[in-house]
Amino acid sequence: MAVNTRRPAERPPAPPRRRRLVYRLRVLRHDPTAALGLILLILLAYLVVAPLVAVLSDAFRLQYGDGVHAGQQPGEWTGYYLWRVFRSQISGLLFWEPLLNTLVIAVGTTLFALVVGGGTAWLVTRTNMPGRQWLAGALVVPYMLPSWTFSLAWLSLFKNERAGGQVGFLQAQGVRTPDWLAYGALPIIVTLGLHYYPFVLLLVGNALRRIDAQLEDSARILGAPQRTVIRRIVIPLMLPALSSAVLLVVGRVLGTFGTPYVLGLPADYRVLSTGLFQAIRDRSTGVASVLTTVIVAIGVLIVLADTRMMREHRRFVTVGGRGAMDRLGDLRRWRWPAFAFGLLAFAVSVVVPVLTLLLSTVTRTPLDLSTFTLDYWIAERLPGAVGFPHGVLRGSELWEAAWNSLRIVGLASLICAIAGLLIGYVVVRGTAPRVAAFLRQVSFLPYLIPGIAFAAASLSLFAVARGPLPALYGTTFLLILVMAVTHLPYSSRSGIAAMMQLGREPEEAAQIAGASWWQRMRRIIFPIQKGALVTGIVLPFVSGLKELSIVIMLTTTGTQLLTTLSIGLVDYGYTQLANAVVLMIALISFTMTYLTQRLTKSSLASGLGG
């Protein structure tokens, strides 16, 4: 019997390209960090960069309805909107006057914040003033309140008959309040200054604590007078913190909407943010795109200037002993007057506004307790009220707005926190430095852009159907998306910092034990980084709950939030009802901030008065 001795045909080896593909798929299954980084890169490019490109495109493409004026066809490239905003007969009304008003407000607010915030920071950190520790935390409270809380309180005190509706306390008592005191630049500067001085307090206060007092002592021993010590030592060492505080306040003022709208509209006092809102309301898309581009450019320049200054001031670095840095100046007989100044700042920025709003909601004549009533809270029917005919706790408007706020802001904060941690994971664990650099920079980009400008840019991209995506304007999804993106800088920085502090050993041990990537994330990364997750959820939640500049562009009747409900009541002239809604926002915001500090065992005033 013959035996077949031939060998079976050998299978030909797989092509090198196929082997590489199979190997990469196996690696990807065990460690999909590279794929995750690519997905995040595409998402951020579309959600952050694309809106800015879209709004820039709209500024140079002729919109429907403007062909008659421009002499071109819709969709063609044009410089018509640049001419209209910068050179036309109405350019003063559209741009130059609002720009000048914005600069006046920015300079005035910054000076106010520097005086109050810088003065209280010095008292809290460098003196033996009584009550330092309590004031260090109490003076940060104004930033927990919505920015237009102060403007509504101002109206409750100084409003005259020009704006319509019920007049303020002084006018009701027979004291004529002039327009310049009730509306316009002065009240906007004061109210914004009361809201933003905690920025200066925190930045300057922490910088003052880190200045080595031995430098000042040495200068005095050498015979330098106090003014020379301040001019040649303290101020140069404080320049980085002061420049950051100034630019931060200016950047915030540039994009704020609520206060200029409430206190500027009755006197037709326009700033860039209210001018942008009016252009969008008038469906002047091209003009709105030009204004948005200008605001974005100014915001980016402000942050670039801050970065440049920080590099220039790095030579002003001192390291000293802790005992020397914490030495306190003896105020002697000025200790209690200094405490009175700090207490006055707290009273004016917290107690007076909140108490004014509260009293206005329980009195028919502003702040006149003899006309006490709870109708604005619980009445089934308010005489003369049309758009909101009952107390705020009656009916469904407040509760629907509160549910929308909690639902939308809560989902946005959750998305924001998870995305921030994933960005931190890719930046720290990833092996592609270019992807990591892109994610780090682009995730921070929304911080450089004033909120109202980024909302306008997002509206330009998502208001109409583009490709497979339908038009999203007026949808809850768009609000959640934009809220998450605008607050991403906070959570991404928190996620990157948290991942840099976590070694690779726990994850490598789980990988050796056979755990998949998802199991490692679910059972190791997320539990270990729960503190960063909590911070990434709660801080955007607190900030988003009192956000107005972003949502005013994107909400419709069906997606009413607490902030837009309050502004709508202001438009109707129902001051007491608007004040009641703002108090509800402040209560929720303060409660969430307090819970955040308890959960994370941190404080907004960390480092002050310690």
Side-chain angles (χ1 to χ4, degrees):
M1 182 175 181
V3 179
N4 186 5
T5 58
R6 290 187 304 174
R7 292 183 178 181
E10 295 183 359
R11 182 178 300 174
R17 183 177 300 176
R18 182 181 175 186
R19 288 203 303 269
R20 287 197 298 268
L21 179 61
V22 172
Y23 173 76
R24 288 177 179 175
L25 289 176
R26 290 177 179 175
V27 171
L28 185 62
R29 183 168 62 88
H30 292 285
D31 187 11
T33 306
L36 178 62
L38 182 61
I39 293 172
L40 290 172
L41 183 148
I42 294 172
L43 286 175
L44 288 184
Y46 186 71
L47 296 177
V48 178
V49 179
L52 301 179
V53 175
V55 77
L56 185 63
S57 174
D58 287 343
F60 292 96
R61 282 189 182 274
L62 196 67
Q63 306 297 315
Y64 289 98
D66 294 328
V68 176
H69 304 287
Q72 295 178 271
Q73 295 298 319
E76 291 184 356
W77 293 102
T78 182
Y80 169 72
Y81 299 115
L82 294 178
W83 170 83
R84 184 173 176 83
V85 171
F86 298 126
R87 299 291 302 275
S88 70
Q89 293 180 346
I90 62 171
S91 61
L93 181 65
L94 289 178
F95 178 73
W96 297 112
E97 183 180 335
L99 176 63
L100 178 61
N101 292 339
T102 301
L103 294 177
V104 170
I105 296 300
V107 172
T109 301
T110 302
L111 292 176
F112 186 99
L114 283 175
V115 171
V116 178
T120 52
W122 180 74
L123 292 175
V124 166
T125 57
R126 301 298 298 272
T127 71
N128 62 344
M129 176 187 67
R132 295 170 53 243
Q133 296 183 11
W134 178 80
L135 281 175
L139 292 174
V140 186
V141 172
Y143 188 64
M144 302 179 193
L145 304 173
S147 61
W148 73 100
T149 300
F150 307 92
S151 59
L152 292 179
W154 189 279
L155 284 183
S156 297
L157 292 171
F158 300 106
K159 182 181 178 183
N160 59 28
E161 70 281 353
R162 175 167 181 163
Q166 193 168 32
V167 297
F169 172 72
L170 293 180
Q171 191 87 355
Q173 300 301 315
V175 179
R176 176 72 173 88
T177 54
D179 288 346
W180 62 267
L181 180 61
Y183 317 105
L186 177 63
I188 294 176
I189 289 172
V190 173
T191 54
L192 286 180
L194 290 174
H195 180 66
Y196 287 120
Y197 83 79
F199 281 160
V200 181
L201 170 67
L202 292 173
L203 290 172
V204 173
N206 283 312
L208 282 171
R209 287 192 72 245
R210 287 165 174 77
I211 292 180
D212 192 346
Q214 292 181 4
L215 296 174
E216 301 172 57
D217 294 342
S218 300
R220 294 189 186 96
I221 292 174
L222 293 174
Q226 183 65 24
R227 63 177 180 274
T228 303
V229 173
I230 294 175
R231 181 171 57 87
R232 301 291 298 273
I233 296 177
V234 177
I235 292 181
L237 293 176
M238 290 297 300
L239 280 179
L242 287 172
S243 63
S244 293
V246 167
L247 295 174
L248 183 59
V249 172
V250 171
R252 295 292 182 177
V253 171
L254 182 68
T256 190
F257 171 79
T259 298
Y261 182 79
V262 172
L263 294 177
L265 186 65
D268 199 26
Y269 190 86
R270 297 173 179 239
V271 296
L272 287 177
S273 59
T274 56
L276 173 58
F277 175 73
Q278 188 63 44
I280 292 179
R281 175 182 281 183
D282 295 340
R283 300 184 182 276
S284 301
T285 306
V287 171
S289 298
V290 173
L291 292 177
T292 301
T293 303
V294 171
I295 295 175
V296 169
I298 296 175
V300 172
L301 288 175
I302 287 172
V303 177
L304 290 179
D306 183 38
T307 304
R308 176 71 178 270
M309 289 182 181
M310 291 298 292
R311 286 201 300 264
E312 291 294 327
H313 296 317
R314 280 180 181 173
R315 64 183 183 272
F316 297 117
V317 177
T318 62
V319 178
R322 182 171 177 81
M325 288 191 292
D326 285 350
R327 189 179 302 155
L328 302 177
D330 187 4
L331 294 178
R332 300 179 182 177
R333 66 178 183 273
W334 295 102
R335 292 177 70 243
W336 288 106
F339 176 73
F341 173 76
L343 200 61
L344 177 64
F346 174 73
V348 172
S349 60
V350 179
V351 178
V352 172
V354 173
L355 189 60
T356 298
L357 293 184
L358 180 60
L359 290 178
S360 72
T361 63
V362 294
T363 53
R364 293 192 180 278
T365 301
L367 309 184
D368 184 358
L369 293 179
S370 64
T371 61
F372 179 85
T373 181
L374 294 177
D375 287 352
Y376 298 112
W377 289 96
I378 60 175
E380 293 186 10
R381 191 74 184 174
L382 289 173
V386 179
F388 203 99
H390 45 69
V392 294
L393 299 180
R394 294 276 187 175
S396 59
E397 291 88 351
L398 175 70
W399 307 113
E400 289 178 358
W403 167 242
N404 286 337
S405 294
L406 296 174
R407 175 171 56 97
I408 291 172
V409 177
L411 287 173
S413 301
L414 181 61
I415 294 172
C416 193
I418 295 175
L421 188 58
L422 292 178
I423 289 172
Y425 184 88
V426 173
V427 168
V428 177
R429 295 285 193 265
T431 57
R434 292 183 179 179
V435 173
F438 179 87
L439 292 178
R440 182 191 293 269
Q441 299 301 325
V442 175
S443 65
F444 189 70
L445 186 59
Y447 184 80
L448 312 183
I449 305 169
I452 194 167
F454 190 81
S458 300
L459 191 62
S460 176
L461 178 65
F462 297 111
V464 297
R466 295 180 186 268
L469 286 181
L472 299 177
Y473 177 66
T475 64
T476 301
F477 180 75
L478 180 59
L479 277 170
I480 295 174
L481 197 64
V482 176
M483 291 281 283
V485 172
T486 52
H487 293 99
L488 187 60
Y490 304 105
S491 59
S492 65
R493 285 303 183 267
S494 175
I496 292 172
M499 288 304 304
M500 291 182 68
Q501 295 174 349
L502 178 63
R504 296 177 179 267
E505 292 81 5
E507 198 173 353
E508 291 174 348
Q511 189 173 4
I512 294 173
S516 65
W517 181 84
W518 168 245
Q519 288 176 326
R520 299 197 301 271
M521 293 296 293
R522 181 171 58 88
R523 304 187 66 176
I524 295 178
I525 300 299
F526 285 159
I528 292 178
Q529 301 293 7
K530 62 182 179 181
L533 276 174
V534 170
T535 302
I537 292 174
V538 180
L539 291 182
F541 181 86
V542 172
S543 180
L545 191 67
K546 56 190 181 71
E547 181 62 61
L548 179 64
S549 299
I550 297 172
V551 300
I552 193 66
M553 293 286 193
L554 306 174
T555 53
T556 60
T557 305
T559 54
Q560 188 84 277
L561 305 182
L562 285 172
T563 50
T564 55
L565 175 62
S566 175
I567 288 296
L569 291 171
V570 171
D571 289 339
Y572 275 113
Y574 301 154
T575 306
Q576 290 95 336
L577 298 175
N579 294 350
V581 175
V582 169
L583 287 174
M584 297 292 291
I585 299 173
L587 177 62
I588 298 173
S589 176
F590 181 80
T591 302
M592 293 302 299
T593 304
Y594 174 76
L595 292 177
T596 301
Q597 295 181 139
R598 293 298 300 269
L599 287 173
T600 59
K601 301 185 184 302
S602 62
S603 172
L604 290 175
S606 178
L608 291 179

